[in-house]
Each structure stands twice: as structure tokens, then as C-alpha cells.
Amino acid sequence: MKALQLGLLGIGTVGSGTFAVLQRNQAEIVRRAGRGIVIKTVADLDTACARAVVGDAAQVVADARAVIADPEIDVVVELIGGYGIARALVLEAIAAGKHVVTANKALLAVHGSEIFAAARAKGVIVAFEAAVAGGIPIIKALREGLTANQVQWVAGIINGTTNFILSEMRDKGLDFDVVLKEAQRLGYAEADPTFDIEGVDAAHKATLMSAIAFGVPVQFDKAHVEGITRLAAADIRYAEQLGYRIKLLGIARRQAEGIELRVHPTLVPTKRLIANVEGAMNAVMVQGDAVGTTLYYGKGAGSEPTASAVIADLVDIARLSGAGEGARVPALGFQPEALAQADALPILPIEQVLTSFYLRLRVADEAGVLARLTGILAERGISLDAVLQRPGDEVAAGQPAATDLIMLTHITREGAMRAALAEMQALPSVLAPIVSLRKEDLA
Amino acid sequence: MKALQLGLLGIGTVGSGTFAVLQRNQAEIVRRAGRGIVIKTVADLDTACARAVVGDAAQVVADARAVIADPEIDVVVELIGGYGIARALVLEAIAAGKHVVTANKALLAVHGSEIFAAARAKGVIVAFEAAVAGGIPIIKALREGLTANQVQWVAGIINGTTNFILSEMRDKGLDFDVVLKEAQRLGYAEADPTFDIEGVDAAHKATLMSAIAFGVPVQFDKAHVEGITRLAAADIRYAEQLGYRIKLLGIARRQAEGIELRVHPTLVPTKRLIANVEGAMNAVMVQGDAVGTTLYYGKGAGSEPTASAVIADLVDIARLSGAGEGARVPALGFQPEALAQADALPILPIEQVLTSFYLRLRVADEAGVLARLTGILAERGISLDAVLQRPGDEVAAGQPAATDLIMLTHITREGAMRAALAEMQALPSVLAPIVSLRKEDLA
């Protein structure tokens, strides 16, 4: 059987990994796929750089549209990234009848519905294993491995940069800013790290997982997104004393009324496997009603780990492209006509999220404070799981003696907690902005 | 599209889980598969019990062959277990043109080549996600998710009974026999636990993974199998002091000359995620040349977790059964004609295995013993990573003072170690049988 012919758009980190792995493991891949998978053409504005990577093994062009127009090319592999030109090229490739493989989570989280509809109308496959958690086959696990289940929730460490920063903050007791600089120096964080540290990248991935887990359209605009930039070393330390680690989790959870979709720093019990995922590694937990808890762990980024996912999609296409559409796994795992309408199973506003909380309050060290605080919580139906009182670490001259009060709550609606926080913050005995972090037991 | 019609052979733990999950999640499954998946007939010798499970929702018969002969049935789900009647029925179902889904690792590890060849000749699918690690989609990860990779090794905790026993031995400092009785009382171990505690069940699963990882035929008879029955609490304790946990691992590793296929208690660094997999949970690590280290974790047994895997296979079949054979994933992930011949990539004898060792020697507490022991190791090219000397915990009257000597070696061929062990054992200063356990860094 003729080898599958690829056109690569962009040959940066992931593109050169894809080229290298296809070259090195071609024989093994043919044994598995039953046919070759060959890069025919690479399109990159920097043709000199592209040629340095591929040598004589593939054509190099500057114009991506020449690749799309080539009738011999079966699959366009989009590795440009971003929402702009990538969107146009992916839609043009689909219109030209090409299958598309992409690692572009931003594109799919924002424009996925448009792209999947276009692919369906044209009868081509859009595959994106590499868009979530790098080399970990989590899209396949959700779309195919766990199809028996009503998924209850998905929670993942899906951004290596922030997990590296959090690991370093904990290990070395350093603050965010210091560790970020170190991470940039080591290449774990980009020069402009905004998408990573503000949780946007994780939210793109969580959005894709929420759609596949529950059969709803991708709705990145409904995601609640908080990054790690305001996280203090003190809270990592207090959490540790209480038996928790702080991880930036992407969470998608089904409630009766809709779906929680959120990214934020989260306290996780230290004894959970996922709490022990360190450095730039990724891990995703999936809770299904039949299978119980499962976890998938590996490298979430990097040249060859991401290429591993790109090529897995290509092998699937090599096996499936001759078959009818019925044989293919739908883009989001659910048949397109069976996707829930956005209003039938809405993404819930953050106020409706059910979670527990870690609170750190700097309070005046005087009688009655704890009683008033717990009274406010009790009025909102929020009950406490643990309280930890610590000496405050600095008291300016002329100020009253102050102490740090740490409280862990049981599960509550976020709306109730927000109201309670506003009321507590207004008390004169509360001397500084209250720190509140969400806590998930993941049991 | 017409619902996929199933015939279930056997409705014990996994069968009733499969029935329950198909009933409960039918709507979600239809949304994913694009068609229903319905149990038409259940065959079980205990028809009363079967009827109690399925009520009026399916036909119940005593004769499995009536199911196989039914032209309306698309898929035979074999949940009888064992090598005997199950083999005959699976081959008959294939001969009758039925697809087969099975959770029977023993059957496939021993008779897989015959069964896969029969299925291929007849153009039907034999699927077995449930045969390894219960609900964890590890077969799919290996066959489809990691197809870009040359797999370097697979190492897994793939028997929940023994992992439960090892966790309890460590937690409570108890010996094997005591914990086994407790496990039997709690239902974690069967009345006849031989297959679990002697490592046979894990070896069945490791055999299947070795075939899929490397593209070789299933060769259970070549596996090296050791269980946990001779493991002493003292060794678990010493290992812990040195930074290791002892797990029963199933390992398949590629060497230049062939494949290591082995099950044995193994020291694993405590900091590895897999060392922290406790109780009856399963986890499998896969190391690929592109993806690096990945890990898959979940429940390895039980009614609904195993049903989750059975139904995932059924959804695959529902999606694929109309498509041509080229579209299907081959049984072992590699195209049948591309499987390596057993002699081209042989399973290596245990002497050729590369591993490191933990040794515990009860030695006379006298000058020169350590020098002679390390001399014997050095002669065989075996170097030491660590030595721990502890006071012996009992000295009978009239015997020389004795001490426990613990040694960790670097990687060596097992054959060299066996020769060194024989020589060391013959020394008069070595007072008791030497305990040797294998150690894997899994890095």
C-alpha cells in the first residue's frame, strides 16, 4: 500500500521531532500501520532552517498553500500554533479534502466547533492527540478507552511550566517571581510566559477534555481561569503542614445542572499520586462511573514526546483513511449529532462550582475573632474541616499583634464562599486581604 | 443503525458488571458509538443465577453453543476464564464468524497465536482490553497511543492481590502468610490464590504486553516467573531503609539480542510514582524512545472496572465492524505478517537478563568477610552501589556472632550474579541461604 503522504506546516520544536521520529522509527511504524508514513513537503517561512532539519528527505517550500494545493498530499500536519494563520490554513486544508493533524490546543479550544463541522462536511479527519498533555495518549483514553463510562470528572496537571515552578517553589521555599526567572533561564518557561502562568494554556486543554468527557461543544470562553502568579510561598508551606500540595489543575466536572470548567491553583492531598507529579511532567486523572479512578502520566511537552502523539494520530489515519466515516472515532468522541447543546448542559458560572477551600487570614490576635469568622461561615452553610493557628511572621511597630489563621472548609458552593469572604474581609480584625485557594480531594 | 447484538458466555463478576454498565450507560454509549450495544443472550450453566442478574432484559440459556449458533449475534463475549472450555468456545465462535471480546489473559497468553490466526483467517476481531490491568486502557495505549515509538520496556503492577499483600506487609510489618490470610478474609485473595501469589497471573498479562510492545508472538512458556511467597518482612524493611519499595512487577524489556520477559518481586526507588501505587490498584509504565516515560494507573480488577474495558472493546467493534480489515487495529498492534519470528527476536533466558540486585547475607561477624564477598562479586564484574551492615536479629547459643549484610549492586547479567551467589553461598562465613532480589531503577 502506498505510503501516507504528509505536508508539514511549520518545522519548529514539534515539527523537527516529528521528522526525526518518522525517520528513525519508520520500519517499526510500517510494521504497525501496514504502510509507510512519509513527509513529502515541509512549509516554513524560514526555508533555510527547514532545509537544515530535513536535508534531502523532503521538499521545502515557504508557502503553506502550496502544500495544501498538492493533490498528492493526504494529511496536513499543522504545527504553526496560535489562532491566526493556523485557523485559515487548517480550514483551507479541510476544504481541499486533506485530513488534518494538529498540536494546536489554542486553535481547537477557541475555533474547534467551526473546524470540526467543516471537517465533517468534507468527510476528513481532524486529529489532535498532541494538543493535550503531549505524549500521553489521553485523548485516546477519553474518546476510546473509557467509552463505557459516564465520566464524572477530569482533573489534570496539563501545563509543565507551572508544575515545574510549583515544584521548585515547594522544594526551595522560594517565591513565584524568583522561580519564574530560574525557569526562564533553564528553558522551562518562555520569554513571555503569560499563557502558561496565567493558566490560559491549561484552560485550552481542559476545554478540549471537557468536550470529549461530556459530549459538549468546546467553549473556552466559559472557562474560569486563574494562574499561579499570586501564589505565595507561605501558602505552599501551610498547605504542606496540613497534608496538601498545591498544583495548577485543569478541572472539568459534571454536576446535575451543568459542567464545571476551571483552572486554578488547587490543594490536593499529598497522598494522591497526582500530588507527587513533579517538575515539568503532566498527569491527568479521569473518574468514570464504571472504571473508578484512572490516571495517565508522562511528558506533557517537548519535541519527541509531542511528536509521539502526532504520529499516533497519523497511524490511526493510515489505518482508517480508506474506511467509511462510520468506522472513524468522532472528533470529540461523541457522534456530532449527539453532542449536547450548550444550553442543555451548560458550562456553569464559577459561583455554582462545588469545591472546598483553604483560607489564610491575617487577623488581630484578640479574643472572639475566630468565633466571628466561623459564625459568618456557618451562616452561609459552610462548615470547617480544619483550623490551624500560627504566629504571624511580621508585625510592624504600632500595629496590633497579628496572627495567621488557616482554615480548611468542607465542600460548598463557590458563590456562598464569595459572599462569606466579602463579609469576613470587612471585619476590622481582618488585617490583610484574605487568601483563598480551592481544595479538591480527588477521591 | 441496528444495535450490536451480544452473546455473553458466563455471567459471574465481570459478566454482571458488563450487564449493569450496558444497562445504566446505554444512552451515553449510543451517543459515542453511534448505535446501541445490547446483550441478546446470556449462556451460563447456572441459569437461575443468570436470570437473577439479567431479569427479562436478555435471554438466558445453559448451552454456550446455542449462542454461537445464533445468526443474529454479532459478538461473543467470553467471560468464562481458564484454558479449557473457553478455548474451544472462542475458536468455535470465530469459526462461526463472530467477533470475540474476552477478559481471559490465561487463554490468550497460552493460546493467543492460534486464536489470533483463526480470527485473521475468518476476518473477525478478537479484542482483549480487559485481559490486562482491568479498566486501565493499557492495551489501547500500547497498540494505538504509542505507535510512534520503539518501546524500550514495559513494567507493571498488574496483579492487585499481590500488591495488596505487599502494601499490607510493609504498612504493618507482617509476614506473607499472615497477610495472605487477611487478604483472603477481605476478599482480595481467592481461596486458592496460587495463580496470583506465584506470579502466574501477572506473567500472563506481561506476556500479552510483551507481544504488543515488541511485535512478537505470545510466548508464555518462555516467561520467567517468581511470586511473592518467599518474601520476608525483613527485606521489605531493609529495602525501605535504602530508599526502595518491593513490588511484584511484570517486566518486558528489549535488549539487542532479544526480549526479557519476567515477573518477580522487584526493588523500585520509593520516589518513583509506581512505588507509591498501593493496595489492589494497578499501574503500568511504558518507556518509548520518543515519548519517554509514561504511566497508566487504575483498578486492575473488579466487576465494573473490568466491564469498562470489555465495553470499550465493544464500542470499537461497533464503530469498526462495518469497515474493511485494513481499518482495524491488528490484534497485537503490529500487522500479522510483520510479527517478528520467535527466533529472530527471542525471549531471553533469565541468565541473560540485565538487572541490579539486592542481596541479604547472614554472615559471621568477623574480619575479612566483606572483603571476600566483594572480591567474588568483582571477579564477575559486578560492582556495588551500596552496602548496609546491620546487627543480626538473633544469635543462637553456641553460634558465632552474626550480622546481616545488605548489598545493592549495579546492573549486571543475571548469569554472572547466579555464579557469584553460588560461590558466596559456599563460604563458611555465610551462615544462611542468601536472599537475592532484583532491583530496577525504571528511570
Side-chain angles (χ1 to χ4, degrees):
Chain A
M1 197 170 185
K2 188 167 173 294
L4 197 70
Q5 302 290 314
L6 314 181
L8 245 64
L9 309 188
I11 188 147
T13 307
V14 178
S16 40
T18 302
F19 175 80
V21 175
L22 280 175
Q23 294 279 110
R24 187 173 73 233
N25 292 352
Q26 186 68 214
E28 196 83 340
I29 289 166
V30 172
R31 287 177 72 207
R32 289 193 167 109
R35 59 194 286 203
I37 297 177
V38 175
I39 298 175
K40 186 186 178 210
T41 312
V42 172
D44 201 297
L45 291 178
D46 188 343
T47 50
C49 177
R51 218 178 299 274
V53 174
V54 303
D56 296 331
Q59 294 172 22
V60 171
V61 298
D63 180 10
R65 291 186 166 101
V67 171
I68 293 170
D70 182 345
E72 287 187 3
I73 281 179
D74 304 303
V75 186
V76 169
V77 182
E78 184 275 304
L79 301 170
I80 299 168
Y83 315 96
I85 184 69
R87 172 173 162 273
L89 292 173
V90 163
L91 288 170
E92 287 174 36
I94 291 168
K98 311 295 187 194
H99 302 297
V100 171
V101 172
T102 177
N104 192 334
K105 60 273 303 174
L107 176 65
L108 294 180
V110 176
H111 300 292
S113 296
E114 177 189 16
I115 289 167
F116 299 138
R120 192 184 173 205
K122 198 71 192 178
V124 298
I125 297 171
V126 173
F128 53 95
E129 182 64 78
V132 181
I136 307 171
I138 183 64
I139 299 295
K140 187 172 280 286
L142 283 168
R143 295 200 326 177
E144 306 173 41
L146 302 174
T147 43
N149 293 266
Q150 297 215 36
V151 175
Q152 294 159 322
W153 50 264
V154 177
I157 296 171
I158 44 183
N159 179 274
T161 303
T162 46
N163 201 54
F164 173 82
I165 291 173
L166 291 174
S167 295
E168 290 287 296
M169 286 176 73
R170 183 177 69 85
D171 273 5
K172 302 183 176 163
L174 297 172
D175 271 312
F176 173 77
D177 297 335
V178 182
V179 177
L180 173 61
K181 285 206 180 64
E182 172 78 358
Q184 286 173 316
R185 201 179 57 78
L186 292 170
Y188 284 111
E190 296 184 46
D192 177 0
T194 313
F195 262 38
D196 292 318
I197 64 179
E198 294 295 359
V200 178
D201 174 72
H204 287 145
K205 296 165 181 166
T207 298
L208 288 172
M209 291 199 291
S210 73
I212 298 171
F214 306 115
V216 298
V218 288
Q219 297 162 75
F220 173 69
D221 57 324
K222 305 275 176 57
H224 176 84
V225 189
E226 290 176 37
I228 61 168
T229 53
R230 287 169 306 163
L231 208 58
D235 294 309
I236 292 176
R237 213 163 52 234
Y238 285 137
E240 200 79 11
Q241 290 169 13
L242 290 158
Y244 295 85
R245 297 242 165 102
I246 300 182
K247 294 291 183 188
L248 184 71
L249 292 188
I251 297 175
R253 180 157 57 191
R254 181 156 191 163
Q255 282 192 30
E257 309 83 31
I259 290 159
E260 301 178 3
L261 175 57
R262 48 195 171 103
V263 171
H264 50 70
T266 314
L267 277 76
V268 180
T270 306
K271 64 185 171 193
R272 298 271 176 274
L273 228 43
I274 200 169
N276 296 283
V277 170
E278 301 290 0
M281 300 303 282
N282 278 202
V284 178
M285 293 179 76
V286 183
Q287 176 87 11
D289 68 338
V291 76
T293 302
T294 58
L295 177 144
Y296 309 83
Y297 165 90
K299 286 182 184 154
S303 175
E304 293 206 356
T306 310
S308 174
V310 167
I311 296 169
D313 280 344
L314 291 168
V315 172
D316 280 356
I317 290 174
R319 285 170 172 162
L320 275 171
S321 56
E325 269 184 82
R328 297 177 191 165
V329 182
L332 294 176
F334 290 78
Q335 301 297 322
E337 64 280 6
L339 284 188
Q341 292 305 308
D343 50 353
L345 196 62
I347 307 294
L348 299 172
I350 189 69
E351 289 76 13
Q352 274 183 257
V353 159
L354 287 166
T355 186
S356 55
F357 285 87
Y358 159 101
L359 306 178
R360 170 162 62 89
L361 302 95
R362 169 61 61 96
V363 295
D365 197 359
E366 57 193 26
V369 175
L370 185 59
R372 289 172 69 185
L373 292 168
T374 54
I376 289 171
L377 291 170
E379 274 168 35
R380 310 272 175 182
I382 302 167
S383 61
L384 285 175
D385 182 34
V387 175
L388 182 70
Q389 195 164 336
R390 295 272 154 176
D393 42 21
E394 54 188 75
V395 180
Q399 292 205 342
T403 183
D404 270 358
L405 191 63
I406 317 294
M407 296 192 273
L408 299 183
T409 77
H410 288 301
I411 289 174
T412 179
R413 288 244 180 240
E414 172 132 356
M417 178 53 80
R418 290 192 171 199
L421 281 171
E423 206 172 328
M424 295 194 294
Q425 190 68 68
L427 292 179
S429 321
V430 174
L431 307 175
I434 300 171
V435 172
S436 80
L437 294 167
R438 299 177 192 84
K439 174 172 91 62
E440 295 287 342
D441 270 5
L442 304 180
Chain B
M1 198 170 184
K2 188 167 173 294
L4 197 71
Q5 302 290 313
L6 314 181
L8 245 64
L9 309 188
I11 187 147
T13 307
V14 178
S16 40
T18 302
F19 175 79
V21 175
L22 281 175
Q23 294 279 111
R24 188 173 73 233
N25 292 352
Q26 186 66 215
E28 196 83 340
I29 289 166
V30 172
R31 287 178 71 208
R32 288 193 167 109
R35 60 194 286 204
I37 297 177
V38 175
I39 298 176
K40 185 187 178 210
T41 311
V42 171
D44 200 297
L45 291 177
D46 188 343
T47 51
C49 177
R51 219 177 299 275
V53 173
V54 303
D56 295 332
Q59 293 173 22
V60 171
V61 297
D63 180 10
R65 291 186 166 101
V67 171
I68 293 170
D70 182 345
E72 289 187 0
I73 282 179
D74 305 303
V75 185
V76 169
V77 182
E78 185 275 304
L79 301 170
I80 299 167
Y83 315 96
I85 184 70
R87 173 174 163 272
L89 292 173
V90 162
L91 288 170
E92 287 173 35
I94 291 167
K98 311 295 187 194
H99 301 298
V100 172
V101 172
T102 177
N104 193 333
K105 60 267 316 171
L107 176 65
L108 294 181
V110 176
H111 300 292
S113 297
E114 177 188 15
I115 289 167
F116 299 138
R120 192 185 174 205
K122 198 71 192 179
V124 297
I125 297 170
V126 172
F128 54 95
E129 182 64 78
V132 181
I136 308 171
I138 182 64
I139 299 295
K140 188 172 280 287
L142 282 168
R143 294 199 329 176
E144 305 173 43
L146 302 175
T147 42
N149 292 267
Q150 295 215 37
V151 175
Q152 293 158 323
W153 51 262
V154 177
I157 296 172
I158 44 182
N159 180 274
T161 302
T162 46
N163 202 53
F164 174 83
I165 291 172
L166 292 175
S167 295
E168 290 287 295
M169 286 176 72
R170 183 177 69 86
D171 273 4
K172 302 182 176 162
L174 297 172
D175 270 312
F176 172 77
D177 297 335
V178 182
V179 177
L180 173 61
K181 286 208 178 64
E182 173 78 357
Q184 286 173 316
R185 202 179 57 77
L186 292 171
Y188 285 110
E190 297 185 46
D192 178 359
T194 313
F195 261 37
D196 292 319
I197 63 179
E198 295 294 0
V200 178
D201 175 72
H204 287 145
K205 296 165 182 166
T207 298
L208 288 172
M209 291 199 292
S210 73
I212 298 170
F214 306 113
V216 298
V218 289
Q219 297 163 77
F220 173 70
D221 58 323
K222 305 274 177 57
H224 177 83
V225 189
E226 289 175 36
I228 62 168
T229 55
R230 287 169 305 163
L231 207 59
D235 294 309
I236 292 176
R237 214 165 48 236
Y238 285 136
E240 200 79 12
Q241 290 168 14
L242 290 158
Y244 295 86
R245 297 243 165 102
I246 299 182
K247 295 290 183 189
L248 184 71
L249 292 188
I251 297 175
R253 180 157 56 190
R254 182 155 191 165
Q255 281 192 29
E257 309 82 32
I259 289 160
E260 300 178 2
L261 174 57
R262 48 194 170 104
V263 171
H264 51 69
T266 315
L267 277 75
V268 180
T270 305
K271 64 185 173 195
R272 298 271 175 274
L273 228 44
I274 200 169
N276 296 283
V277 170
E278 301 290 0
M281 300 303 283
N282 278 201
V284 178
M285 293 178 77
V286 182
Q287 177 88 11
D289 68 337
V291 76
T293 301
T294 59
L295 177 144
Y296 309 83
Y297 165 90
K299 286 182 183 154
S303 176
E304 293 205 356
T306 311
S308 173
V310 167
I311 296 169
D313 279 344
L314 292 168
V315 172
D316 280 355
I317 290 174
R319 286 170 172 161
L320 275 172
S321 56
E325 269 183 83
R328 297 177 191 165
V329 182
L332 294 177
F334 289 77
Q335 303 296 324
E337 64 279 5
L339 284 188
Q341 292 305 307
D343 50 353
L345 196 62
I347 307 293
L348 299 172
I350 189 69
E351 288 75 13
Q352 274 183 258
V353 159
L354 287 166
T355 186
S356 55
F357 285 87
Y358 159 101
L359 306 178
R360 170 163 61 89
L361 302 95
R362 169 61 60 95
V363 296
D365 197 359
E366 58 193 25
V369 175
L370 186 59
R372 288 173 69 186
L373 292 169
T374 53
I376 289 171
L377 291 170
E379 275 168 34
R380 309 274 174 181
I382 303 168
S383 61
L384 286 175
D385 182 34
V387 176
L388 182 70
Q389 195 163 334
R390 294 274 154 176
D393 42 20
E394 54 189 77
V395 179
Q399 292 206 341
T403 185
D404 270 358
L405 192 62
I406 317 293
M407 296 193 273
L408 300 183
T409 77
H410 288 299
I411 288 174
T412 179
R413 288 247 180 237
E414 171 131 357
M417 178 53 81
R418 289 192 173 200
L421 281 171
E423 206 172 328
M424 295 195 292
Q425 190 68 69
L427 292 178
S429 321
V430 175
L431 307 175
I434 300 170
V435 172
S436 79
L437 295 167
R438 298 176 193 86
K439 174 171 91 62
E440 294 288 343
D441 269 4
L442 304 180

